[in-house]
Amino acid sequence: MAVDKKYDTPMLDELEKGEWPSFVKEIKAAAEWNAMSNDLLGLLEQSYSEKMGHWKHGGIVGVMGYGGGIIGRYTDLPEKYPNISHFHTLRINMPSGWFYTSEALRTLCDIWDAHGSGLTNMHGSTGDIIFLGTRTEELEPVFNKLTAAGFDLGGSGSDVRTPSCCCGKARCEWACYDTMALTHFITNKFQDELHRPAFPYKMKFKMSGCPNDCVASVARSDISIIGTWRDEIQVDMQKVREYAKNGTDIVKEIVMMCPGKCIEWDGKDLNIDNSSCLHCMHCINVMPKALAPGKDRGAVVLVGSKAPIVEGALLSSVMIPFMKIEEPFDEMEFWKLIENMWDLWCEEGKNRERIGEFIQRVGMGNFLDSVGLEPIAEMVAHPRENPYVFYEEYFEEGEEVEK
Amino acid sequence: MAQIPVHELAEAMYKMVKDTMGLKKWKATDLQKASIEMFGEGNVDKQLCKDAIKELVNSGRLVYTYFGGSYIEVPHKEGAEN
C-alpha cells in the first residue's frame, strides 16, 4: 500500500549523498509503502535535529513460552509518530556460517513485509538475522510463520545467545575443526538455555576455526572455541624459496615479526622451533602456499571476554589449551566444564555480571579450583615475562625458591 | 527422599512471584534458590525448578521480562505500551 510522504528530512538527505550504500535510501524505499518506516524517517530526523534519541527498550513483550529473541522497543513520542509507538526487534537464529538459499531469504523477507517495517539488519552484531520494528500483536503471527518456514528465534537477555561461527571447513582452508557442525550442535544442545533465560547475564559462544579468529571470539564471547594444532607447522620448503625468489622479505616480514621468536631463515631453509610457536598464524598468512597448520588439529577453549557494556572490555583466558573436536560431540568432556562453570556462576554471580567479570571478582585461582581445573602455564597471558609465575620443575628438590 | 511433584513446586513459585509483585524482581536462579530453601535440597533440585518454571511460562501464568537483565513476572500491561 502506497504511503504519502509526511516528513521533510533535510539532515537525513545529506546521508544519501556519495557513492556508498545509504541506510537512509533503504528506509526511504521502505517508507514508500510502509507507514512504520515512514514514521521512522520523521523520528530519526527529529533525533538528528535535537541530538537526542527517542527510544526506550526492554519490557514484557515476547512470544508464548520464550524468554528471548524479542527486544521490546517503544518511542517516547507515540502521539507524534503513532506507527512506531511499538517498534520491537526480532532476533532470528541464523544458520551456522550464515548460509542461505536465495529462496530462504525471499521467504524471510515476505514474512517481514507482511508483519513488520520491512527493514532488516543482515546481520546484527549478535550474528542473528534482525527484523527491525513491529507491533506487539504481530509477534505471534511472525513467530508462527518463521517456525513454519524452519526458522526459530535467537537469544536475548540473560540466556545463551545465538551461537555463531566462522565459515569453517565450508569455505576456509585453515579450519582446524568443523566450526559449523559444532555450532549447530551447541545450538541444539542448549535450546532450553537459549530460550529460557536462567543466568545472571548473557552467555555467548563463538567458534573460530583457526587462530585468525574471524568471528573475534577471543574478544566478544564468554566461551571462545578457537581452532589450533599441537604438532608442527607444515612447511613446503620449495614454496618458501619461491616466495623469497618472488620478493617476499622473509626476515623482515616473518622472522622479525614472529611473536614467539621461533623462526630462522638462512636464505635457503626455514627453521621453526615449534615448541616456542604461539600459533598466531602470522607466518602462515604471509606464505599461505608454503605453510599450513599442523595435522594434529583441535581447539583451544577460552573463557571470559566481553565488549565494554556495563563494565570495561575483557579478553578471554585459556581454560583448555587443546582438545580434539570430533563427532560425536556429545561425548566430549568439555560439557562437564561448561556445566560446572554455569553452576558456579549461577550460584555466586551477581545480577548483570558476565562470567569474565565474575572470574575477575573471585580470582582466577578460586574459579579454577571451583570448576575443577588444574592451573597450567597456558592460562597466563605472558608466562615467560610474568615474575609471579614459578615453575617448580626448574628447581631441585630441597632448593628454596627466592622470594 | 522423594521429590515433590512439579506442579506443587510450580504453585509455590507462582505464589512467591505473585505475592511480591512490584516489590521484587525474580530471576530464574532466585526462584531456584528460594525453592530449595523452602522445600529442602532433598526435595527440590535444579532440574525440577527448571521444569516448574517451564510449566508456568508455557501456560502463560508467568512471563519472562527484560529490564537490563531477564526476570520472571506475572503478566501485566506495561506503561510503555499505552
Side-chain angles (χ1 to χ4, degrees), chain A residues 260-291:
Chain A
K261 308 285 181 223
C262 65
I263 303 179
E264 290 178 351
W265 167 245
D266 61 6
K268 191 178 164 206
D269 288 323
L270 188 80
N271 293 308
I272 302 174
D273 173 8
N274 281 278
S275 64
S276 291
C277 174
L278 300 181
H279 297 194
C280 74
M281 292 288 290
H282 174 73
C283 58
I284 296 171
N285 291 333
V286 176
M287 298 194 295
K289 291 176 185 168
L291 306 178

Side-chain angles (χ1 to χ4, degrees), chain A residues 118-140:
Chain A
L119 296 169
T120 69
N121 288 155
M122 293 293 244
H123 297 81
S125 55
T126 57
D128 299 83
I129 303 159
I130 306 290
F131 282 179
L132 292 165
T134 194
R135 295 191 59 79
T136 303
E137 58 271 23
E138 295 288 350
L139 294 173
E140 290 287 351

Side-chain angles (χ1 to χ4, degrees), chain A residues 5 36 59 121 167 189 192 225 290 304 364 378 396 400:
Chain A
K5 184 183 172 186
M36 294 184 99
N121 288 155
C167 59
K189 182 175 178 65
D192 198 47
I225 304 173
M364 180 61 88
E378 285 88 342
E396 297 293 330
E400 278 195 20

Side-chain angles (χ1 to χ4, degrees), chain A residues 381-400:
Chain A
H382 299 282
R384 295 173 192 185
E385 297 157 25
N386 191 324
Y388 298 102
V389 177
F390 298 95
Y391 297 95
E392 288 176 8
E393 62 267 33
Y394 288 179
F395 303 98
E396 297 293 330
E397 197 174 341
E399 190 178 359
E400 278 195 20

Side-chain angles (χ1 to χ4, degrees), chain A residues 35-56:
Chain A
M36 294 184 99
S37 294
N38 200 23
D39 270 7
L40 180 63
L41 281 173
L43 179 69
L44 191 53
E45 180 72 20
Q46 181 169 340
S47 289
Y48 278 24
S49 169
E50 296 174 350
K51 295 184 170 54
M52 190 175 132
H54 285 285
W55 295 107
K56 45 192 174 181

